[in-house]
Amino acid sequence: MTAYNFETSTPNTWCPGCGNFPLLNAVKAVLQEPGEGETPTPPENLVLVAGIGCHGKIVDYLNINSFYSIHGRVLPVATGIKLANPDLEVIGFAGDGDAYGEGLEHLIYAAKRNIDITVIIHNNRVYSLTTGQFSPTSPLGFPGRSTPAGSPEPPLNPLELLLASGATFLARGFSSQPEQMKQIIREAINHRGFALVDILQVCVTFFNLHQYYAERVYTVEDHDPADYFQALNKIREWDYGASPSGTSPGGASPGKANPGGEEKERIPLGILYKKEAPTFARRLSPAGGGNREEATRESRTAAKERQALIEKILAGSK
Amino acid sequence: MTAYNFETSTPNTWCPGCGNFPLLNAVKAVLQEPGEGETPTPPENLVLVAGIGCHGKIVDYLNINSFYSIHGRVLPVATGIKLANPDLEVIGFAGDGDAYGEGLEHLIYAAKRNIDITVIIHNNRVYSLTTGQFSPTSPLGFPGRSTPAGSPEPPLNPLELLLASGATFLARGFSSQPEQMKQIIREAINHRGFALVDILQVCVTFFNLHQYYAERVYTVEDHDPADYFQALNKIREWDYGASPSGTSPGGASPGKANPGGEEKERIPLGILYKKEAPTFARRLSPAGGGNREEATRESRTAAKERQALIEKILAGSK
Amino acid sequence: MMKETPAIAGLDNLSVLVGGKAGAGIDRSGTILGKLLNRLGYRTFIYRDYPSIIRGGHTFSIIRAAKDRIVAHRDEVDIILALDRETFVHHQHRLKKEGICLCDAREKTALPDPRAFGIPLSEILREEKAPAVMTNTCMIGAFAKATGIDFPPLEKILRQELRKEPELNIKVAKRGYDAVNEVLTIQPLPREVLPLITGNEAIALGLVRGGLDAYLSYPMTPTTPILHYLAGVSREFGLDVLHLENEISVILTALGYAYAGKKAAVGTSGGGFCLMTEGLSLAGMAELPILVVLGQRTGPSTGLPTYSAQSDLLFALHAGQGEFPRFLVAPGDAEEAYYWSALGLRISWEFQIPALILSDKNLGESFFNFDRKLVEDPEAPDLLPAGENNKPGAGAGQDLPYRRYELTGTGVSPLAFPPLAGGVIKVNSYEHDEAGITTEDPRQTTVMQEKRLRKAEYLARALEAVKTVNTYEGEDHGAHAHQTALLCWGSNKGPCFEVGRRLGLKVIQPVVLNPFPTRQFQQALAGVKKLITVENNATAQLGRLIRNYGFQANGEILKTDGRAFSIEELEKKVKEAMA
Amino acid sequence: MMKETPAIAGLDNLSVLVGGKAGAGIDRSGTILGKLLNRLGYRTFIYRDYPSIIRGGHTFSIIRAAKDRIVAHRDEVDIILALDRETFVHHQHRLKKEGICLCDAREKTALPDPRAFGIPLSEILREEKAPAVMTNTCMIGAFAKATGIDFPPLEKILRQELRKEPELNIKVAKRGYDAVNEVLTIQPLPREVLPLITGNEAIALGLVRGGLDAYLSYPMTPTTPILHYLAGVSREFGLDVLHLENEISVILTALGYAYAGKKAAVGTSGGGFCLMTEGLSLAGMAELPILVVLGQRTGPSTGLPTYSAQSDLLFALHAGQGEFPRFLVAPGDAEEAYYWSALGLRISWEFQIPALILSDKNLGESFFNFDRKLVEDPEAPDLLPAGENNKPGAGAGQDLPYRRYELTGTGVSPLAFPPLAGGVIKVNSYEHDEAGITTEDPRQTTVMQEKRLRKAEYLARALEAVKTVNTYEGEDHGAHAHQTALLCWGSNKGPCFEVGRRLGLKVIQPVVLNPFPTRQFQQALAGVKKLITVENNATAQLGRLIRNYGFQANGEILKTDGRAFSIEELEKKVKEAMA
Ligand SMILES: Cc1ncc(C[n+]2csc(CCOP(=O)(O)OP(=O)(O)O)c2C)c(N)n1
Ligand SMILES: Cc1ncc(C[n+]2csc(CCOP(=O)(O)OP(=O)(O)O)c2C)c(N)n1
Ligand code: SF4
Ligand code: SF4
Ligand SMILES: [Mg+2]
Ligand SMILES: [Mg+2]
């Protein structure tokens, strides 16, 4: 058997040095090489969903089923695909503007429902494709093109928000650490339930935080991701630059925002939270207390039976 | 001086016994009688904003400036009014479907930005005006008209979500405890920053939880609302019925959901979290690091100056 | 108790109004009364009028029964069942001179009208320790006796319709029954009894008939009942029925279903539809099938949430940025709602375009008789030319690498779903090449735009074989009566057809509104000199639409108060317009 | 280095194309080149073509300079400045026989065309240790010398435009300048130099001129530059400029501003506009002023995000459920963009209705000369009939209790803002009474609907006094040339006016599209036998719109590839259409 070819011939138009490249490679590697003792998902059972932004181009570069969606709506599309066919492995790629801004409500609901999908956020903390505005995770004071005097709002901590929303898998990676990205993404895909991976993806053009991250990230150890409070503490350890007087990159005046001498804050990477819980599909099923019969679903096309049932209903409506 | 008349002659069409009545009365009382040592806000400086649902009718019953908005959009409207004129006291009334469902993203952003408004959620945990579907805070398994086999998703804990979003004032009241509602609402209005009050408002027609709440609620004491972790613990003490095996009202079979003999869960009421932080308007101002000159704002109408400035810009664009 | 039998007008046309406070069970009473008359063999129609209020506020239903098929209500009523005083005060003017009004004995003194008859409703309830909501049941019992209907058939209906405390209900009904005298006799008609369903139920069943896999919605009047109905039958039909966080999620999730090969429909009204328009444009670009039920209500904005309108036609036609084909149909009664929902779903899937069912509150929430014999087979018409490689699923098992947007003669590409062994299925909201990869190339853009619009041409051709414009030519009531035609769409079909019959006018009802059935419309206009458009909007939207195709209405009858045209009202206005 | 001077066509019409990879500073170069020619007294226009890609991908600008006013680009160019090889390969066909192409000396061997001249750009950069992006500056220096422009004026522009490392830039430019010989001489024209601004800047300044208090947006091409621009000048003008979480929030927050008495505008494109439609309908019902800049781009859906279209006209006209008046205007150049943005804001506020500025990528992102003398005073026209109690603010200080929706002759109610001592201001998305309290009454509903629609009538009357339809009748090039007219709207004004002039055709450009200026349009049509509509869409949307008013186009020139019409292309198509 020849190996499946995951490449397309589409020319890649990301900027040289963009953190999306290692992210793409990590995804490709995970899909190509199953983890130890795992049987690989057949490539035709994979479906990728993307939003609109630099991140979204990833689906053009992968020879895999894909739904290149609209800005902010990766989550409902991915939810629909997964519910329609539970055999498909659905992976969403979204931007920080996309998932934490434009369509934030869907993200919270996907977590609340524990939809069995994986979402990878290309969190470059800026709107890149629209040429550099502040985003939901830009540090307070970030001087984007829509906020030349500095962004007037502190960032969201998306992991904290999603923890509060009921997400069952939360992890953080860094685009300059490919091995760890692979490991996290692999575990996220294997997780049964809603998995979100926040990748600190460096945008070299509009917000180059490579050095900043490199000096601060560390991988969590001796961490029990099943423990809510441990998870919460790890998640809150870094606030994405919410405090202007803190050590986050204030963009406008990084010197001021990160005064020399003060200790640098630390940014934990790895799987920060993980918990087992019934998925939405399971709760819909009789086993989960619902009335969604998988068997009936299979035989949905039995038009004749339907017709008979319709006639019965009509006969009863007299 | 004759007292301002807060009543309208509009006939009230809430169901007899609806928890919206005491809520309306509490709001009226707070607006009428300022707290000790406070000067009352002149009635013409009050603005109410409502969503669409049973809750929204409250604005028809109050002889106060109001913006009866559309479903799910109380927050952006209230934000716009407050930013346009900081002298106005803006109070939003929203439903659980409205604010935690349809337009959830705005709520999170109002908290993130710390917009200086008060939002009161008539959280009856059901869609009432549309005749009884499950809502974002209905307990898991709730048999609404759209989920006759029981809702397949656990509820959000809105206070937990808002704490994670950066809200600076979070409180919970109960529509059958008018005095406490008054006190909470008064403090919420006085709070400088974003204040959310989640009122457990009994809907006698579609989800009558009066008795259920009456047996479980208590007022927090010895609680330091400025302490994040204390607040979080109080907020997580009750999960709005997320755990099917817990003691929340499962609606479908409350007996099963609340098995006899087991200890009843407790529902804390009162001000659960409170913190001082710069408001969005302050951050926009020079004092907050922004460039929004209040002085210039006052003289906005100086059309001549503007005209001259435009000519200068044009002259510079050659 | 009751004095001697008043003369009631011909039983080929009986109207009963039942009214009371919102939340008092008026709606349910209407259904029970409707079924009662329906089972006697009368053709039945129920018009429902209720405010956006859960309790209190005035609500009423008008149940009309006749020998012939009817699909509209009359202003004038024969009987009023007044569950509160307001009902009589409000509707007194409707009551025929020789009509009767049944009310609670307590109220009788306040209603000094000889047509009002007091029944000891509250007394009976008190004696039976029955809750106030059972006043209805008691009243219905009285009605049955007064109109000479036997008790057993009523009992049967009550058992079916009232699940809570059936015994007490029946007892109370019987006491009402026994408390009055027969004042007229409604003779059973020995003929087939037809189902009595709402337009919303017809849409729901039509969708199921068309092969629906999933219905997704966020509640919004007037389509919420479709959500409730399908949620109730989801198990039997193996449907996914989901109530999601908002309408944006609803349409995007539905497009996810479509991508995975499952037929999804969504239902909403104006405000929710606004939020779906971005998804609609995505469906157009990505060529994903989707069916949208758009139930119109009085706008703009929140408007009158529980009242009707026909003011979203042009919005529905142009909603979403850019240009892409869409199918738009406005059924006029239950049979059309059923047929076109089923066929609409097929069209959406065979052409991979959005299909919109334009409903309104009057269509969705009124009860109609459903006559199976009037319904064609929605699977019968061939839509795509034979031999074209464009049937759903045709992509599977091909030799070539699968290309989601393969260029074909009809513009319709083979449709396949994941998992497709050996094939990759890419859909894209950006302009794209045949494989679904993003492009910004000017030539490619033009070609793809043409491909998508070509589907509209083939759809228009396919619809030539289907009846897309209904016409009615009744008996000619005068030399040139047929030279005048009423133009109508959607739920105005009923009143227009009846008024047309009464006045001997031609009636033209285009059911399909896009692609516009120009040829069939032209044919329908043969011999017409004066065309009067009848619409529930302020700007004659259909009148404006037909101008695009070279036609012109020369009269307008418009109504914007949210209420349906009654026969009398429309007749009067038509006469004025003809004068 | 350079061989002898090639003959370049008449300097009354010079076109320069500068191209390279996205992210290489092409856009900036275009601006500098444009300003350079502009300051010499030439009338200048810059067409910009770039992909939705941050780095890489081919980008180019065409700078056109002429003695007379021009508002369109030509295909044929005199000079190509090729920052990469692809630029020459792509655009070779455009280059005049006697034109020249400047490129890096390294590339020259790969471009075996006698018109290509190598300049040691990379060598200079290496020597000066300048970053790659300064290749542009070096090239511009070479261009200036080659065209006989003095260095000091270039230096001045470079200092203004290049804030980062100005000295190095100037050094590099000078080295480029010194590396070539003069091949032609662009003589300065001794006359007034006009500002050179983009359509987006014109819109932004027009809004400010109209009294804007706040601009709210979520970034979306092609209106993002308005957000950036106004954010940059917010302090000087005392504006609130907010980038919010999504477009729903944008329009609803703006309506909050309007309620509080602050003039707000929002900007977006198709997908974002979809999300605003529900808010638009709210504005219609609640009678809140709002101005929406809708920048069209190639759809449907995400489409070609950085290319143009005119395919949202009918969507903009009908967007939002229900019926309510709206003002819709499509400016065709910078002066119109400025004037109508200012007047549009006034109209929105005086009539308390939504106003839409229908822009497109070509209008918004091209650079135009801005001639103050062509702009009327946007405060001049009287809009509302004198003596009516309906001016903004008229509500304050009245005797009566204030009623937000007071019925008036024009339908326009007195507008007041909180705090209003002694008055209560209630706006409502439900149907409401004069005080703003919810109603479901049928009569009230009809009256209020009429009130709102009455405003459209008065607006139409007010606009009679303003020039809403532009016509151009050039010199007559033949006996019946003026019997043919080109119909156009928005950014097609430029190419149509120029082609009309060349061919002696009449050109008709309705600027206001709703309320449609029927009388002025009728006048414009006087003597026209053949009307050819020129549009950047597939279905001739303006052609369809005019049918509603009884007019008919009998020819269509449509283009859907996202690119602007060039003069040559349009001329060819017009000739075909006339044949
Ligand atoms: C409804 C809508 N609004 C706005 C846009 C324009 N838009 C395209 S990408 C983008 C932001 C991209 O930021 P992000 O999601 O962080 O992605 P990145 O480019 O940083 O990967 C925006 C605003 C759009 N396509 N659709
Ligand atoms: C966009 C939109 N979708 C749906 C509706 C219909 N609708 C009106 S009220 C409501 C839900 C009300 O629930 P909630 O917000 O909890 O308010 P309650 O009636 O319980 O006070 C819905 C879905 C609407 N008006 N607008
Ligand atoms: S702009 Fe930023 S995110 Fe986009 S491709 Fe370039 S480096 Fe990557
Ligand atoms: S339905 Fe419920 S929330 Fe609405 S008025 Fe009645 S009791 Fe109150
Ligand atoms: Mg980003
Ligand atoms: Mg509720």
Side-chain angles (χ1 to χ4, degrees), chain A residues 13-15 18-20 54 124 128 201-206, chain D residues 54:
Chain A
T13 58
W14 284 324
C15 308
C18 174
N20 282 321
C54 286
N124 51 19
S128 295
Q201 173 246 316
V202 172
C203 169
V204 294
T205 300
F206 295 111
Chain D
I54 303 301

Side-chain angles (χ1 to χ4, degrees), chain B residues 6-251:
Chain B
F6 280 88
E7 314 272 340
T8 61
S9 52
T10 315
N12 192 311
T13 58
W14 283 324
C15 309
C18 173
N20 282 322
F21 286 105
L23 176 44
L24 167 63
N25 289 333
V27 169
K28 223 185 296 180
V30 170
L31 298 181
Q32 252 158 352
E33 317 146 9
E36 254 176 84
E38 288 170 12
T39 38
T41 307
E44 66 266 25
N45 280 51
L46 296 169
V47 180
L48 315 180
V49 181
I52 300 298
C54 287
H55 63 273
K57 298 182 180 185
I58 196 167
V59 299
D60 272 350
Y61 306 145
L62 286 165
N63 186 34
I64 301 177
N65 296 318
S66 64
F67 191 133
Y68 207 154
S69 171
I70 54 178
H71 186 55
R73 314 301 168 189
V74 167
L75 274 300
V77 169
T79 297
I81 297 170
K82 183 69 188 182
L83 292 178
N85 186 347
D87 294 339
L88 299 174
E89 187 68 70
V90 183
I91 308 173
F93 298 90
D96 45 330
D98 202 73
Y100 301 150
E102 177 75 68
L104 176 59
E105 73 272 32
H106 312 305
L107 189 64
I108 292 170
Y109 272 83
K112 171 184 194 278
R113 296 186 182 121
N114 201 25
I115 305 287
D116 185 16
I117 55 178
T118 300
V119 181
I120 297 172
I121 310 289
H122 301 223
N123 188 358
N124 52 19
R125 305 174 64 206
V126 69
Y127 285 50
S128 295
L129 193 59
T130 47
T131 71
Q133 298 84 16
F134 87 111
S135 95
T137 50
S138 298
L140 182 66
F142 176 75
R145 293 183 73 184
S146 58
T147 53
S151 124
E153 31 183 314
L156 289 173
N157 180 333
L159 299 177
E160 189 176 351
L161 197 65
L162 285 159
L163 186 68
S165 308
T168 52
F169 183 103
L170 294 167
R172 182 186 287 136
F174 172 31
S175 61
S176 305
Q177 297 199 357
E179 282 312 313
Q180 190 187 46
M181 272 199 289
K182 274 194 244 175
Q183 183 215 324
I184 292 173
I185 293 172
R186 177 169 291 129
E187 289 213 35
I189 293 175
N190 288 341
H191 175 70
R192 209 177 145 76
F194 180 73
L196 180 123
V197 182
D198 190 58
I199 298 284
L200 300 173
Q201 173 247 317
V202 172
C203 169
V204 293
T205 300
F206 294 111
F207 199 16
N208 193 341
L209 291 171
H210 175 80
Q211 194 55 32
Y212 174 85
Y213 289 143
E215 290 169 6
R216 287 164 178 82
V217 295
Y218 73 97
T219 301
V220 291
E221 275 169 34
D222 294 330
H223 173 68
D224 179 6
D227 182 313
Y228 174 88
F229 281 99
Q230 276 194 42
L232 182 67
N233 279 323
K234 274 289 163 230
I235 284 173
R236 285 174 54 86
E237 189 171 325
W238 179 57
D239 69 3
Y240 289 77
S243 32
S245 55
T247 50
S248 305

Side-chain angles (χ1 to χ4, degrees), chain A residues 73 102 105-106, chain B residues 49-52 55 67-81 92-95 97-107 117 119, chain C residues 218 245-249 271-272 274-276 301, chain D residues 245-253 255-256 275-276 278-279 282:
Chain A
R73 315 299 169 190
E102 177 76 68
E105 74 271 32
H106 311 305
Chain B
V49 181
I52 300 298
H55 63 273
F67 191 133
Y68 207 154
S69 171
I70 54 178
H71 186 55
R73 314 301 168 189
V74 167
L75 274 300
V77 169
T79 297
I81 297 170
F93 298 90
D98 202 73
Y100 301 150
E102 177 75 68
L104 176 59
E105 73 272 32
H106 312 305
L107 189 64
I117 55 178
V119 181
Chain C
Y218 185 83
E245 68 272 24
N246 59 24
E247 290 87 350
I248 300 175
S249 182
C274 285
L275 297 171
M276 292 187 179
S301 204
Chain D
E245 68 272 23
N246 60 23
E247 290 87 349
I248 300 175
S249 182
V250 163
I251 192 159
L252 272 296
T253 307
L255 294 179
L275 297 171
M276 292 187 179
E278 196 191 7
L282 167 60

Side-chain angles (χ1 to χ4, degrees), chain A residues 96 100-101 104 127 134-141 151-158 161 239-242, chain B residues 75 79 104-116 161-168 193-195 275 277-281 283, chain D residues 243-245:
Chain A
D96 45 330
Y100 302 150
L104 176 60
Y127 285 49
F134 87 112
S135 94
T137 50
S138 297
L140 182 66
S151 125
E153 32 183 312
L156 287 173
N157 180 333
L161 197 65
D239 69 3
Y240 288 77
Chain B
L75 274 300
T79 297
L104 176 59
E105 73 272 32
H106 312 305
L107 189 64
I108 292 170
Y109 272 83
K112 171 184 194 278
R113 296 186 182 121
N114 201 25
I115 305 287
D116 185 16
L161 197 65
L162 285 159
L163 186 68
S165 308
T168 52
F194 180 73
K275 159 187 159 177
T279 64
F280 187 70
R283 285 198 164 117
Chain D
H243 161 180
L244 300 174
E245 68 272 23

Side-chain angles (χ1 to χ4, degrees), chain C residues 52-81:
Chain C
S52 182
I53 285 172
I54 303 300
R55 286 273 160 77
H58 180 64
T59 296
F60 67 95
S61 289
I62 296 180
I63 302 96
R64 194 168 159 220
K67 286 208 175 107
D68 294 330
R69 178 180 171 86
I70 42 159
V71 190
H73 76 285
R74 297 182 54 90
D75 271 335
E76 202 180 53
V77 298
D78 302 285
I79 302 174
I80 290 178
L81 307 180

